[in-house]
Amino acid sequence: MKLPPLRGIILDMDGVLVDSEPFICEAAIRMFQQTYGIEVHKEDFVPFVGAGEDRFIGGVGEKYGITLTLPRDKERTYAIYLDLIQGALHPLPGAGEFVRAGRLRGYKLALATVENSRIDATRKLRSLVVVEPPSLPETAEYPLRTYNLSTLLA
C-alpha cells in the first residue's frame, strides 16, 4: 500500500520545540510561597508531570493539605511563568532547523496544544520569535540576466 505524500507536520510545544517544564515548576513554587506561604520543592511536581495543568499544581497542593482556588492559582502561576520565560525560553537543539527544513520543503506546519493552554502556547511562541534571513536571493536575477544578455549582443 502506497502512502500519500507528506503535506504537513503537527508539532507539540513542550518537549519538541521547547522545554518549559523547569519554568512552570519554578512559577508554581513561587505561587505556593506567595499565595499560601509554604515552601514546596521541584521534586514534588514529578508525579504530576503530564497530568494536566490543574493536576500539576493541584497534586502538589494536596500533598501539603491545600485546596487550590482555581482558576485564580493557575492564573497566578502563569503570570509568574510569563515573567520567568522572558528572554530565557529557547528552542531545543535542532528544533529551529527542523521547522525551517519543513518550511523549505513546502510542508504546512501546525502547533498542537491541549487543555486551555492555547494562550500559553501563543505566549511561548512570542518569546521564541526567530528572525530568519529571507529565502529569496538578495540580488534580483532578472536585471542581471538582462544586463548579461545586453552585453552579449553589444
Side-chain angles (χ1 to χ4, degrees):
M1 179 173 112
K2 185 176 179 182
L3 296 174
L6 182 65
R7 297 185 332 195
I9 302 169
I10 301 173
L11 301 164
D12 185 22
M13 181 71 75
D14 289 310
V16 176
L17 298 178
V18 298
D19 181 12
S20 64
E21 188 177 309
F23 298 100
I24 195 63
C25 186
E26 178 62 27
I29 289 169
R30 292 183 188 189
M31 182 280 297
F32 278 106
Q33 175 61 46
Q34 294 170 7
T35 307
Y36 297 102
I38 65 162
E39 184 178 328
V40 301
H41 307 281
K42 181 172 58 170
E43 302 79 31
D44 296 333
F45 294 91
V46 172
F48 309 107
V49 171
E53 299 166 344
D54 293 351
R55 189 74 183 132
F56 184 74
I57 59 174
V60 174
E62 287 173 13
K63 177 179 177 176
Y64 288 91
I66 295 171
T67 302
L68 296 181
T69 302
L70 295 175
R72 181 200 70 185
D73 293 341
K74 185 163 60 171
E75 289 171 0
R76 180 66 190 130
T77 301
Y78 273 97
I80 296 166
Y81 165 79
L82 292 174
D83 286 339
L84 291 173
I85 66 170
Q86 293 303 312
L89 184 65
H90 303 289
L92 287 170
E97 293 83 359
F98 181 82
V99 170
R100 279 189 287 281
R103 288 180 58 208
L104 287 173
R105 289 190 173 111
Y107 297 137
K108 293 180 180 178
L109 302 173
L111 180 66
T113 186
V114 295
E115 292 195 43
N116 52 0
S117 49
R118 183 179 55 175
I119 293 170
D120 174 44
T122 302
R123 290 175 177 160
K124 285 180 191 174
L125 286 174
R126 285 186 185 148
S127 74
L128 288 175
V129 171
V130 177
V131 178
E132 293 183 12
S135 57
L136 297 174
E138 291 186 22
T139 58
E141 288 295 317
Y142 180 73
L144 184 59
R145 288 182 184 158
T146 304
Y147 173 78
N148 288 343
L149 185 59
S150 65
T151 57
L152 287 173
L153 297 175

